[in-house]
Amino acid sequence: MQTYTVLKVHPEDSVAVAIRPLSQGEVVDVAGLQIAVATDIPAGHKFALKAIAKGEKVIKYGAPIGYAVTDIACGEHVHAANIKTTLSESAEYVYDKMQSEQFALKAEQRSKEWEGRVPTIKAYRRSNGAIGIRNELWIVPTVGCVNKIAENLVSWAQDNLQKAPFYDGIHVWSHPYGCSQLGDDHEATRTILSDLVHHPNAGGVLVLSLGCENNTPESFRALVGEVDANRVKFLTTQDVSDELAESKRLLTELYETMKGDTREDVGMDNLIVGFKCGGSDGLSGITANPLVGRFCDALTAMGGTGILTEVPEMFGAEQLLMNRAVDEQVYEQTVNLINDFKQYFVKHNQVVYENPSPGNKAGGISTLEDKSLGCIQKGGQAMITDVLGYGDRIKKRGLNLLNGPGNDIVSTTALTACGAHIILFTTGRGTPLGAPVPTIKISSNSALAEKKANWIDFDAGRLLQEDDETVLSDFLSLIQRVASGDAMAKNEENGYAEISLFKDGVIL
């Protein structure tokens, strides 16, 4: 078992990554090459494996992450000061049917490996056939004006509704919208809120309205459509004299209905899992994201469903995703997904490569291509089976691409609304946030896992010291336990769960 000091990710790379801090003059072995580092190199940062001429492309993950803006000597630190992005607002893409067929063949082989041995989890079977991995009460406000009423109801429920095996707690998904928005923003808000009403992790939902908002109680109820009246209750606070008393009555009715709910064994292929990264560092694309990618390959091979979003963090790596489109129609949908999001930047007079963040750069990520090529590792090698718009719900099994930004809370909300039962969230810098569903935090490095044990659920830094299959097996076991209710994600233990809605237009 090897403990890594440095790592060359791909045979064609012109840079390697320091796994631990390296000192100036230190000689390291990189795939048989003896390299003397020219300067101190922080952990997660890159150094040159050869002389790189000004204007030459810098290769990592086997693909360009930018070009050199100065001559770079062998062993020199390679970072934002001496390389720049190659991205622009337009790019040409090609549908490569042969590559798609090769990926499909590998996916078919993985599926055969899981035949007859799909793991099980314990979940709640809903009347429409969906499963839920939590049985919670959710309050969905149609407008921000009733947020505080809903928060008072949550406090009341925490004191008065007894915790029981059938009941996993109560949440309100507060937001400031539902009124004073126009056009697409208003409809997007309504769609996301409607999606939350239908989410199977909620055993009971109270839809709480004011009455005079643009998102009218009548129009929202029509948008929500058919529901189980024993599981979803609607209340317009302007229509009753005591909204708190009436809300408590309805929440109690929902709680009583949930008393008959029990977990049962279901195949893990029923799981819908969202993938997200935030506060990434130079090791995210080497440890945490590839670990999630290995899980994605296993989940989709079983017949389960994954969701990859953060479209701006596909820029620079999008052709690699397009090569895995299940057919030409999905390829074209992926092209449109990328180009439409680029036009969103252009419309607001922004460049598409205004990324990575200061924290990303401090962690060793130099350009958006560097970030994106690491980011898409979360999708493994799975075939792309569908492309979804913001607010769309899952329709097809396999790996889905979902339209949404990189913003952590906006994208985790979109993943939840899409139908994710659970979110796997990788991080190199650490973050406490949680979505409305269990949000498992995977650290890219062991130092973070030790420092922020109250945030981090799994240490992917183990991959640099332990056998890959052992780490993957432990990771799969954690997901099974969280999905089955035998363990809570750290965000659940901390009570960190919230939503945020995407906004593009005018607020009145």
Side-chain angles (χ1 to χ4, degrees):
M1 194 176 301
Q2 183 176 2
T3 299
Y4 292 94
T5 299
V6 298
L7 188 64
K8 183 180 181 182
V9 182
H10 189 277
E12 297 178 10
D13 288 356
S14 58
V15 295
V17 178
I19 303 305
R20 62 163 175 79
L22 303 177
S23 300
Q24 182 179 3
E26 185 174 351
V27 178
V28 293
D29 182 286
V30 187
L33 288 174
Q34 302 300 305
I35 305 290
V37 296
T39 59
D40 291 346
I41 309 292
H45 285 241
K46 300 173 291 296
F47 61 94
L49 295 177
K50 66 181 189 70
I52 303 172
K54 180 179 179 180
E56 184 179 346
K57 289 182 178 177
V58 178
I59 308 300
K60 183 184 175 188
Y61 302 107
I65 60 167
Y67 68 94
V69 296
T70 63
D71 290 336
I72 301 173
C74 181
E76 189 176 341
H77 189 196
V78 177
H79 199 32
N82 54 15
I83 68 171
K84 296 295 181 186
T85 181
T86 63
L87 293 178
S88 67
E89 282 66 41
S90 62
E92 295 294 326
Y93 305 114
V94 177
Y95 177 60
D96 191 330
K97 186 177 182 181
M98 185 175 296
Q99 279 221 38
S100 177
E101 289 173 348
Q102 290 173 349
F103 279 112
L105 182 60
K106 292 176 182 177
E108 185 178 350
Q109 291 169 345
R110 288 194 297 271
S111 296
K112 289 179 179 177
E113 293 171 5
W114 285 99
E115 284 180 1
R117 62 184 195 95
V118 174
T120 60
I121 57 172
K122 290 188 176 294
Y124 298 97
R125 180 69 71 179
R126 303 305 184 193
S127 59
N128 62 359
I131 67 158
I133 67 167
R134 293 292 181 268
N135 209 34
E136 297 173 332
L137 278 173
W138 286 8
I139 303 176
V140 177
T142 60
V143 65
C145 305
V146 297
N147 284 344
K148 291 303 177 182
I149 296 173
E151 289 168 14
N152 284 341
L153 291 169
V154 168
S155 297
W156 168 83
Q158 289 171 339
D159 292 336
N160 291 274
L161 299 181
Q162 186 176 0
K163 207 73 182 288
F166 64 85
Y167 173 59
D168 293 315
I170 184 169
H171 298 281
V172 54
W173 305 125
S174 299
H175 62 90
Y177 301 126
C179 209
S180 301
Q181 288 182 293
L182 299 174
D184 291 345
D185 277 356
H186 181 63
E187 288 308 312
T189 293
R190 284 162 36 83
T191 299
I192 294 292
L193 296 178
S194 174
D195 291 340
L196 294 176
V197 173
H198 287 281
H199 200 284
N201 280 8
V205 178
L206 174 61
V207 177
L208 197 65
S209 300
L210 180 61
C212 59
E213 61 267 36
N214 291 125
N215 185 21
T216 66
E218 298 78 16
S219 66
F220 185 68
R221 190 163 188 165
L223 177 64
V224 168
E226 185 177 349
V227 292
D228 182 344
N230 294 317
R231 298 283 181 170
V232 180
K233 307 287 184 181
F234 296 84
L235 177 65
T236 302
T237 57
Q238 288 177 345
D239 289 350
V240 295
S241 58
D242 189 338
E243 68 281 351
L244 289 174
E246 184 63 15
S247 297
K248 291 172 186 177
R249 183 185 69 80
L250 294 175
L251 288 171
T252 302
E253 286 183 7
L254 292 167
Y255 177 86
E256 292 296 321
T257 298
M258 292 164 60
K259 281 185 175 179
D261 297 340
T262 58
R263 291 181 182 267
E264 62 181 72
D265 287 335
V266 301
M268 205 167 180
D269 55 310
N270 287 278
L271 267 184
I272 302 172
V273 182
F275 307 129
K276 175 74 181 83
C277 55
S280 299
D281 70 355
L283 296 179
S284 292
I286 294 172
T287 58
N289 291 350
L291 177 63
V292 170
R294 289 282 304 278
F295 171 78
C296 176
D297 287 344
L299 178 68
T300 53
M302 295 174 200
T305 306
I307 315 169
L308 191 64
T309 187
E310 304 176 278
V311 176
E313 293 171 25
M314 298 175 189
F315 296 167
E318 63 267 47
Q319 183 67 63
L320 299 179
L321 291 173
M322 293 169 186
N323 292 343
R324 287 156 43 199
V326 72
D327 55 36
E328 193 163 0
Q329 180 181 2
V330 173
Y331 161 78
E332 292 291 350
Q333 291 172 338
T334 308
V335 171
N336 292 337
L337 175 75
I338 298 296
N339 286 337
D340 288 350
F341 218 102
K342 284 186 175 182
Q343 286 307 305
Y344 165 65
F345 278 70
V346 171
K347 182 176 71 173
H348 289 282
N349 298 312
Q350 299 296 319
V351 294
V352 301
Y353 43 84
E354 191 55 50
N355 206 337
S357 70
N360 295 153
K361 290 180 180 178
I365 296 173
S366 307
T367 62
L368 181 52
E369 297 101 308
D370 193 0
K371 187 175 185 179
S372 295
L373 287 162
C375 181
I376 69 164
Q377 303 289 324
K378 300 191 299 295
Q381 299 295 306
M383 297 299 291
I384 310 298
T385 57
D386 203 4
V387 178
L388 303 171
Y390 179 72
D392 286 351
R393 281 183 265 164
I394 285 291
K395 301 184 289 290
K396 296 180 181 178
R397 294 189 180 221
L399 181 59
N400 290 247
L401 302 183
L402 172 64
N403 188 18
N407 179 276
D408 291 349
I409 308 176
V410 174
S411 57
T412 53
T413 301
L415 288 167
T416 302
C418 192
H421 298 108
I422 195 167
I423 293 172
L424 305 183
F425 192 118
T426 64
T427 181
R429 311 283 292 177
T431 178
L433 74 83
V437 297
T439 309
I440 294 178
K441 302 289 173 38
I442 305 110
S443 67
S444 67
N445 61 85
S446 298
L448 174 61
E450 293 169 7
K451 179 182 179 182
K452 301 302 295 184
N454 60 322
W455 289 357
I456 301 299
D457 297 276
F458 194 87
D459 174 19
R462 292 171 51 190
L463 287 168
L464 300 173
Q465 300 181 27
E466 300 181 39
D467 176 72
D468 287 6
E469 295 304 320
T470 298
V471 177
L472 179 62
S473 176
D474 289 349
F475 187 51
L476 183 66
S477 176
L478 171 65
I479 294 168
Q480 284 180 276
R481 287 185 284 114
V482 172
S484 297
D486 296 328
M488 297 174 71
K490 292 293 173 66
N491 79 291
E492 295 180 287
E493 291 180 3
N494 295 329
Y496 300 157
E498 59 188 315
I499 70 168
S500 183
L501 303 170
F502 191 62
K503 175 191 170 299
D504 183 31
V506 172
I507 291 183
L508 296 176

